Amino acid sequence: MVTETLQHTTAVDRRRVGLEACCDGGEDEKSQQRTTRRWKIIAAFLTTLLLACLAVMCCVLLRQNDVKRSCDASCDVISRTEYMDAPLTPFSELTVEEVETVLYHFQSNHSQFRITDVKKAGMGDNYIHMMEAIVPPKALVLDYLKRGGTLPERKARVIVFRGNATPPVVEEYQVPLSRPHMTSVIQTESRKTRVPYSMKPFSRVEFRDVFRRLIPMVVKQLGHVVKESYGASLGPGCSPKCLRLSMTPVSTAFLPPDTRAAWFWLAYDREFFTLHPLDLQFLVDTTHVDSSQWAVKKVYYADQFFDTFQQLDMSYRQGGINVTRVTFPEGPEEELYSSLHLRGKPFPEDDRPPPVTVLPHGNRFKVRGSRVDYLRWQFTLRVSPSVGLQLFDVNFGGERIAYEISLQEVAVLYTGYTPASSVLFFADSAGLFGTRMRGMLEGEDCPPHAVYLDTRMFASNDGGLKRFARAMCLFEHNTELPLRRHRAYSMTGAFYGGLTDTVLVLRAFISLINYDYILDYKFHANGAIEVSISSTGFLAASFYYPPEERFGTRIHKHVTAGLHQHLFHFKADLDIAGTRNNFTSMDIGVEEKKDTWGHDPQASRSQFFVSKTTRRTEKDACYHYNFSTPKYLLVSGGEETDLGHRRSYRVLPQGMSPPLLPPGNGFEPSVPWSRCQVAVTKHKDSETTSSSIYAMWDAKDPVVNFTSYWADDEVIENEDLVTWVTLGTYHIPHLENTPNTATVGTTVSLFLAPFNYFTEDPSMASRDAVRVSPRDPKHPYSGSVVQRYNTSSLLTCIPDFKLPDEELSEDSEDLFT
Ligand SMILES: *[C@@H]1O[C@H](CO)[C@@H](O)[C@H](O)[C@H]1NC(C)=O
Ligand SMILES: *[C@@H]1O[C@H](CO)[C@@H](O)[C@H](O)[C@H]1NC(C)=O
Ligand SMILES: *[C@@H]1O[C@H](CO)[C@@H](O)[C@H](O)[C@H]1NC(C)=O
Ligand SMILES: *[C@@H]1O[C@H](CO)[C@@H](O)[C@H](O)[C@H]1NC(C)=O
Ligand SMILES: *[C@@H]1O[C@H](CO)[C@@H](O)[C@H](O)[C@H]1NC(C)=O
Ligand SMILES: *[C@@H]1O[C@H](CO)[C@@H](O)[C@H](O)[C@H]1NC(C)=O
Ligand SMILES: [Cu+2]
């Protein structure tokens, strides 16, 4: 049942080997300790001699060669297994044994659950869709982090598809891992834990039936329409001119009660199919778990609607339709407008590659288990199937700033003329973010010196427990932008002081069918965290008809791409100088004043002023961005300082997108969080996530209704607060979005930055800084002292990086699973 492939060698493994080789001196000493004292002395002497020789050789080599591999890089690197099998923390995901415990419980308790192995399950069976660890209540976790002791009880959250219940239902269980017989359906007010099948997320099991059932149906009843219209066919034997069947799920907002349905549409199966849509679409009622009961409800072809395939077939044969005639996009893939091969006049004209970053002395961060240490920063990372990447217990300079920071939902709201494109509303967490993070390409998705982390999780769509190679990477990055600098240039008091903004980047990609989202967490030396998300990938598109112009852009002869809005929701459970915090805004206004000292004491003029408002309740804290009322949003805590300040962090969303769909309309109730650009709620252990894996379908009766998190209007003064931030962009497609949409201009960011939190900029302690002072302040031109705080300026080595190409030529499973 539990399958795992552990055999692959990876960059991290290789790097570890490399670094161990670097540190042979240390290893030598260790083994010598086991020998006798005499030998020890001799050995120590020899080792010293050897190290001295090595140092001399290094210098010689350096002189001869200029660049060399680092010998003083930290040996403390992680390997993939160390990361996942590290000692458990309250944030750890399920271990292999814990997954087995859950499986054993559900399988052995056959009479109650009648669970089928995910590999064999059909839609009418019960099976486990996914499982993940439940983070214990915050109070217990904080207590454990402070005092240690025994780990809070480990529990799993298990989502079970119960296809053989009447009516079929999705249930969310909690399994106490040390006493699985106490398993029960989760009881909570903040979300539904029994969800009707009409709102269930995508599953491989359902897709299997889609293809098994619908493709033969289309082939049998409309094979000739398809062949004559598109010059290609569907199903077995289609080669070399094949079509692809795709699904656009329909939200319950647009369906009769208790119904599940999807629009299916055809596209040419060429790179990449979303840019080759065709005009046969059909709506199928997929409510029934027995797919033989599925029924075609509507058919769209040549810009006309039909009730059934038969009706279309009949009209087609009778010549009552202005038939569509398009041809298969033939020719080499390289020449297709939709393919990602090099084309055009290549540049540069010579073979010189682009710049790369070099680490003069190895990585300055460490990963121990899931804990990351970087200069003054420390945090724990976790990847769960449903939420994906989460940061916990984020510390700067030994103080916790955030208990949790995570991405909650990615939604894309499309528009269009044809039925399938007009009901296209994605809430991507349905695809299980954690499982969509995988297969980063070394040296391309992250710089050559990055360290990659694998994950492991249980999801039915991946056939059970599976390891995902290279799900994230960590690397230190020189932004080449000064974090601060000043050049005082006069004949007196000249000096230069500067510090480059170097950050640790934790990066993950979330790839979902056509789009790829790049999620970056960046840790700056001044105590600021930057969370940014960028989008790239392929546009979703539809067959061109003139009325489509209103809804998007024609991007090819027969293809149009619809306008859409990308929305991202983030959770930041900040703890500023303790857990008791306030949400305050510094509001910038304008007032009239008279200059009594002026030449005209009666004349009035306007000037800015700032005033402070502390939001008392949750309802006051749903922030609607208003251009006319600029403000800083602050989360503050601690005692008032001597200067009368509260230590604060500023919440700065960059890239807000106004919600234009009326609240409560259509799909909108599935993304009610998008109504507030920032919302602040009192922390509740039950209010873990603002969205759910059902959001794509659940508009009629949302499983998580974010509005209810703040509509109860709790007092938020002096409370443990959670800040929720909506970012987004509207995207009007254009020709340069083919074949791929560039990330340029798509990035939205959330900054969490200190505001009167420190008494001065903490980056003043960074030894990355440079200061130049004239030797004689009176004669700034006649020589200066350059202070680099003892950091070595010498570039001693370049990373020993090998492109993965050779390995990929043998085995590319990790990249494409
Ligand atoms: C089966 O599950 C029920 C409810 O969770 C529990 O009461 C019972 O003890 C379980 N039986 C076994 C054999 O685990
Ligand atoms: C077919 O096309 C003609 C000419 O464009 C148009 O007049 C006619 O209404 C169309 N028929 C249908 C059924 O769309
Ligand atoms: C924005 O603020 C101004 C000034 O307070 C106010 O007049 C206006 O109605 C606000 N706009 C919105 C959309 O709330
Ligand atoms: C929050 O605001 C209230 C009222 O302004 C104040 O009494 C309290 O001390 C503040 N607490 C913090 C942590 O700033
Ligand atoms: C969500 O909750 C709010 C506040 O409790 C309520 O007014 C609203 O009707 C709910 N939305 C839906 C779709 O149930
Ligand atoms: C740099 O080295 C000097 C001499 O060893 C020492 O006095 C000084 O404290 C060091 N400075 C830093 C920032 O480490
Ligand atoms: Cu887009």
Side-chain angles (χ1 to χ4, degrees), residues 105 108-109 111-113 173 180-184:
H105 173 72
S108 64
N109 205 332
S111 57
Q112 198 199 349
F113 301 110
Y173 289 87
H181 57 282
M182 299 298 285
T183 294
S184 59

Side-chain angles (χ1 to χ4, degrees), residues 625-629:
Y625 176 73
N626 183 341
F627 199 77
S628 314
T629 55

Side-chain angles (χ1 to χ4, degrees), residues 54-191:
L54 273 175
V56 170
M57 272 167 61
C58 263
C59 290
V60 171
L61 283 174
L62 267 174
R63 264 193 221 117
Q64 286 174 345
N65 226 345
D66 234 36
V67 282
K68 213 198 125 283
R69 197 169 92 220
S70 171
C71 279
D72 53 6
S74 161
C75 305
D76 195 359
V77 285
I78 55 126
S79 83
R80 297 141 59 112
T81 36
E82 272 164 4
Y83 157 60
M84 282 183 297
D85 302 331
L88 290 181
T89 74
F91 311 112
S92 298
E93 255 309 328
L94 300 177
T95 63
V96 174
E97 294 71 33
E98 288 171 333
V99 168
E100 278 166 355
T101 301
V102 172
L103 287 177
Y104 183 78
H105 173 72
F106 279 90
Q107 273 156 2
S108 64
N109 205 332
H110 190 75
S111 57
Q112 198 199 349
F113 301 110
R114 289 199 280 149
I115 290 292
T116 306
D117 179 358
V118 295
K119 291 204 183 66
K120 296 181 205 131
M123 288 228 297
D125 295 321
N126 295 348
Y127 63 92
I128 295 175
H129 180 57
M130 61 136 248
M131 59 174 99
E132 62 193 14
I134 294 176
V135 179
K138 183 171 172 181
L140 292 183
V141 175
L142 292 185
D143 193 62
Y144 175 83
L145 293 176
K146 201 164 163 191
R147 275 184 266 280
T150 50
L151 202 64
E153 182 173 21
R154 304 265 306 153
K155 289 183 183 170
R157 173 169 165 254
V158 182
I159 298 188
V160 180
F161 279 22
R162 303 195 68 173
N164 76 6
T166 5
V169 66
V170 182
E171 287 178 336
E172 300 195 357
Y173 289 87
Q174 62 170 356
V175 182
L177 290 158
S178 57
R179 36 194 190 109
H181 57 282
M182 299 298 285
T183 294
S184 59
V185 172
I186 296 173
Q187 299 292 321
T188 171
E189 304 242 296
S190 60
R191 61 184 287 131

Side-chain angles (χ1 to χ4, degrees), residues 580-582 614 636-638 646 717-718:
R580 301 235 165 248
N581 291 164
N582 277 352
T614 295
S636 32
R646 297 275 184 182
E717 258 175 2
N718 255 325

Side-chain angles (χ1 to χ4, degrees), residues 379-392:
F379 59 88
T380 300
L381 55 85
R382 158 187 153 111
V383 182
S384 73
S386 68
V387 181
L389 178 57
Q390 288 167 288
L391 305 189
F392 281 102

Side-chain angles (χ1 to χ4, degrees), residues 486-759:
H486 186 65
R487 181 182 66 92
Y489 52 83
S490 88
M491 280 307 286
T492 54
F495 67 88
Y496 174 95
L499 170 68
T500 303
D501 190 12
T502 300
V503 294
L504 177 72
V505 182
L506 168 61
R507 170 171 294 177
F509 286 71
I510 302 171
S511 304
L512 270 146
I513 308 173
N514 56 320
Y515 257 97
D516 300 59
Y517 295 100
I518 308 165
L519 177 61
D520 277 353
Y521 286 90
K522 298 189 187 115
F523 300 86
H524 296 264
N526 68 338
I529 304 174
E530 177 184 351
V531 192
S532 61
I533 192 157
S534 315
S535 11
T536 177
F538 285 93
L539 290 170
S542 50
F543 194 85
Y544 175 77
Y545 285 109
E548 200 81 76
E549 304 267 7
R550 256 173 76 66
F551 305 104
T553 306
R554 187 177 187 180
I555 53 167
H556 206 67
K557 185 151 184 248
H558 297 294
V559 186
T560 180
L563 151 74
H564 54 276
Q565 183 183 26
H566 293 270
L567 287 168
F568 308 96
H569 203 221
F570 289 93
K571 174 184 186 182
D573 182 344
L574 299 176
D575 287 345
I576 306 303
T579 52
R580 301 235 165 248
N581 291 164
N582 277 352
F583 179 51
T584 301
S585 64
M586 303 275 279
D587 304 290
I588 298 164
V590 172
E591 63 185 10
E592 297 297 305
K593 69 167 291 193
K594 292 193 168 98
D595 292 328
T596 51
W597 46 262
H599 72 280
D600 180 359
Q602 290 315 307
S604 82
R605 65 184 180 94
S606 305
Q607 71 176 18
F608 304 135
F609 72 100
V610 60
S611 65
K612 223 162 135 173
T613 322
T614 295
R615 306 298 158 124
R616 228 184 70 74
T617 66
E618 289 175 328
K619 273 187 185 161
D620 294 338
C622 170
Y623 166 69
H624 301 276
Y625 176 73
N626 183 341
F627 199 77
S628 314
T629 55
K631 46 176 66 59
Y632 271 32
L633 304 177
L634 306 174
V635 175
S636 32
E639 298 290 307
E640 208 160 82
T641 64
D642 292 348
L643 299 177
H645 303 306
R646 297 275 184 182
R647 300 179 69 194
S648 307
Y649 254 69
R650 180 182 178 199
V651 176
L652 173 61
Q654 283 197 339
M656 286 176 283
S657 188
L660 293 180
L661 295 180
N665 186 281
F667 174 78
E668 197 276 346
S670 287
V671 289
W673 42 264
S674 63
R675 295 173 200 169
C676 312
Q677 280 78 57
V678 175
V680 174
T681 61
K682 182 174 157 177
H683 171 90
K684 285 185 188 155
D685 286 317
S686 59
E687 293 176 355
T688 50
T689 55
S690 60
S691 186
S692 78
I693 60 173
Y694 315 96
M696 192 121 79
W697 293 267
D698 71 5
K700 210 162 240 172
D701 188 15
V703 170
V704 174
N705 174 1
F706 180 72
T707 306
S708 71
Y709 284 20
W710 56 266
D712 52 346
D713 211 22
E714 300 255 17
V715 171
I716 53 169
E717 258 175 2
N718 255 325
E719 289 291 346
D720 188 359
L721 304 182
V722 180
T723 305
W724 310 84
V725 179
T726 305
L727 301 176
T729 51
Y730 279 96
H731 183 174
I732 302 177
H734 43 95
L735 294 177
E736 296 81 1
N737 288 150
T738 64
N740 238 195
T741 62
T743 56
V744 177
T746 71
T747 307
V748 290
S749 307
L750 166 63
F751 285 85
L752 302 167
F755 187 91
N756 295 334
Y757 183 88
F758 300 104
T759 50

